[in-house]
Amino acid sequence: MTAIDALAETDLLQLPDAVEAAPAPRRRTVAVRVGEGAGAVTIGGGAPIVVQSMTNTDTADVERTVKQVADLARAGSEIVRITVDRDEAAAAVPHIKERLLRQGVTAPLVGDFHYIGHKLLADHPACAQALDKYRINPGNVGFREKKDRQFGAIVELAARHGKSVRIGANWGSLDQELLTSLMDANSRSSRPLDARAVTREALVRSAIWSADRAREIGLAQDRIILSAKVSAVQDLISAYRMLAARCDYALHLGLTEAGMGSKGVVASSAAMGALLQEGIGDTIRVSLTPEPGGDRTVEVKVAQELLQTMGFRTFVPLVAACPGCGRTTSTVFQELARDIQTWISASMPQWRETYPGVETLNVAVMGCIVNGPGESKHADIGISLPGTGETPIAPVFIDGQKAMTLRGPAIAAEFKGLVAEYIERRFGPSA
């Protein structure tokens, strides 16, 4: 018996459970319905994890806000939040909603309220009705004796209009009375915690206490979502573990200021990925700082990619491509991978209607013969392009089997045609 044979004789059934590559079961939460009709979204209760985003336009500018909400929704944002910070913004909300519906954009709209939300909702009943959800920060809804009264006023309006509410505690605007009280108690303790731990505790208590208070006022639990946002990865993980252990409210995940570019993507993915793997989180937002004049929809794409790469949802076909090395100084495989990805992204709005299930497609575009054939076999359809100095032939694998070999200068165009044929055959009306 060879060494390989001996390894193969190992009883797979005796291997430890730790080899199973699967996330923890989803934490059980109370489902919350946001919106009405065709655009309604369910958060929590075992529903798929929801992607949401936020505009950065002046909400009073109806035209620009409508365009950005529509862009975000069409990119895949299932809920879109807008700022409602003054009378002009509140007055614009029903017009924004009306225009969006005329365009067929039904993603629920969330109003983000700070300081004077109670007044804006009371003074603009059309705004209160047009919004699908209100977002309240208990740290800046009011101060001292006004806090409970103003918080209560928003909650009462939400209950009256049948709206859901996200109670979003935030590290940067935490209830200072609560924080001071906990800090004082901690200083008297025989085993005091560090300041960050006390702040996390204050954040979690603020969110849960506010949610319980909302229920006392008359808002049902199936109308309440909680969040406890911070800007540091480890603090976010700790805070949400604490929240998850102490309540069964639906939870919204997100770093409050993730940052710009790769830093923001990595930080958000690291923090939310760890929590999602533990079964924590019902809806997410990747709060990326955009480049000046940059594309706001990037945060939606990152959120979708996070959920899809972790295996929680499928949104678009995946294109696997090797990173390249000294064997692949030619850029042919890079260009083909880019072209296929761009083509798929541009085609998805139509494909969703024509080819149900196409989002589960896996395509591989590999750059040389080392790992190319093997990786291509694992995809639904894949190609292994020749590396630098290799014979200019490219085997194509379909459903794990070698289907053909492409040769010559038109390899890229021919493979794109094969992908289109595969999609029609597998996902088309006659499939």
Side-chain angles (χ1 to χ4, degrees):
M1 178 181 292
T2 68
I4 295 297
D5 291 334
L7 285 174
E9 285 293 314
T10 303
D11 187 350
L12 295 177
L13 296 179
Q14 300 304 313
L15 294 176
D17 291 340
V19 301
E20 290 295 331
R26 292 279 301 282
R27 169 179 164 270
R28 297 185 65 179
T29 59
V30 174
V32 178
R33 184 178 174 85
V34 180
E36 302 293 337
V41 174
T42 299
I43 297 174
I49 299 164
V50 173
V51 171
Q52 56 183 284
S53 60
M54 185 177 183
T55 60
N56 62 356
T57 58
D58 177 359
T59 305
D61 186 335
V62 173
E63 184 173 347
R64 288 187 63 227
T65 302
V66 166
K67 182 182 184 306
Q68 193 171 89
V69 171
D71 288 344
L72 289 165
R74 286 166 182 154
S77 183
E78 293 155 303
I79 296 177
V80 181
R81 181 159 48 114
I82 60 177
T83 297
V84 186
D85 58 347
R86 64 193 196 280
D87 286 304
E88 292 81 359
V93 169
H95 300 292
I96 292 168
K97 182 78 169 183
E98 181 184 3
R99 288 198 191 183
L100 288 168
L101 291 176
R102 285 207 305 263
Q103 293 181 24
V105 178
T106 58
L109 277 185
V110 181
D112 196 48
F113 294 100
H114 299 279
Y115 306 112
I116 59 170
H118 62 291
K119 185 176 186 301
L120 292 174
L121 287 168
D123 292 349
H124 298 272
C127 169
Q129 184 57 47
L131 291 169
D132 298 290
K133 185 174 77 169
Y134 309 156
R135 190 267 182 167
I136 315 172
N137 183 341
N140 60 27
V141 74
F143 303 96
R144 297 185 176 85
E145 71 280 353
K146 293 182 179 180
K147 179 171 62 178
D148 194 54
R149 183 171 70 251
Q150 294 176 180
F151 176 83
I154 298 176
V155 171
E156 288 172 358
L157 283 163
R160 185 185 312 162
H161 289 285
K163 307 299 181 180
S164 55
V165 171
R166 172 159 71 91
I167 296 173
N170 193 293
W171 186 277
S173 52
L174 191 53
D175 185 321
Q176 291 303 300
E177 291 180 69
L178 173 60
L179 181 58
T180 299
S181 177
L182 287 178
M183 288 291 188
D184 289 345
N186 184 59
S187 67
R188 297 190 297 269
S189 172
S190 59
R191 299 177 62 187
L193 302 172
D194 66 59
R196 294 185 79 87
V198 177
T199 305
R200 289 194 297 268
E201 178 64 26
L203 193 72
V204 171
R205 289 195 190 187
S206 175
I208 294 176
W209 182 89
S210 299
D212 292 345
R213 176 64 183 135
R215 292 174 68 183
E216 291 173 3
I217 293 169
L219 193 64
Q221 185 173 355
D222 64 2
R223 291 290 185 182
I224 300 172
I225 299 158
L226 295 189
S227 65
K229 288 193 171 184
V230 301
S231 56
V233 169
Q234 295 298 339
D235 287 321
L236 190 86
I237 294 170
S238 295
Y240 274 91
R241 283 173 175 167
M242 294 161 67
L243 265 181
R246 298 186 197 180
C247 72
D248 61 353
Y249 292 104
L251 298 183
H252 168 75
L253 302 187
L255 285 172
T256 186
E257 294 104 8
M260 182 178 282
S262 61
K263 185 270 179 186
V265 173
V266 171
S268 293
S269 300
M272 291 192 284
L275 291 165
L276 292 168
Q277 187 69 11
E278 295 178 15
I280 299 171
D282 302 292
T283 175
I284 67 171
R285 182 197 172 199
V286 177
S287 300
L288 295 180
T289 303
E291 297 285 346
D295 184 356
R296 191 68 168 178
T297 65
V298 170
E299 67 176 49
V300 178
K301 296 170 186 174
V302 172
Q304 289 182 326
E305 288 171 3
L306 173 61
L307 293 178
Q308 184 154 343
T309 55
M310 292 191 71
F312 292 109
R313 295 188 62 183
T314 53
F315 297 97
V316 296
L318 290 176
V319 178
C322 66
C325 65
R327 299 177 62 90
T328 56
T329 54
S330 166
T331 61
V332 173
F333 87 94
Q334 299 166 350
E335 292 162 358
L336 179 57
R338 179 199 60 202
D339 291 348
I340 292 289
Q341 186 70 72
T342 302
W343 172 57
I344 286 173
S345 297
S347 302
M348 277 306 293
Q350 177 186 344
W351 284 358
R352 285 192 184 95
E353 302 296 326
T354 309
Y355 303 115
V358 70
E359 65 274 6
T360 64
L361 177 71
N362 286 303
V363 180
V365 179
M366 308 306 293
C368 76
I369 61 172
V370 175
N371 294 316
E375 291 289 346
S376 296
K377 288 178 184 178
H378 289 298
D380 295 315
I381 179 169
I383 187 170
S384 179
L385 292 163
T388 304
E390 294 174 359
T391 304
I393 60 174
V396 174
F397 297 84
I398 297 176
D399 294 329
Q401 302 296 319
K402 184 177 178 181
M404 64 194 69
T405 299
L406 302 181
R407 295 177 172 83
I411 286 175
E414 290 176 18
F415 180 69
K416 186 175 175 180
L418 291 172
V419 174
E421 291 175 9
Y422 182 86
I423 290 172
E424 177 66 35
R425 184 171 67 255
R426 178 174 169 185
F427 302 103
S430 59

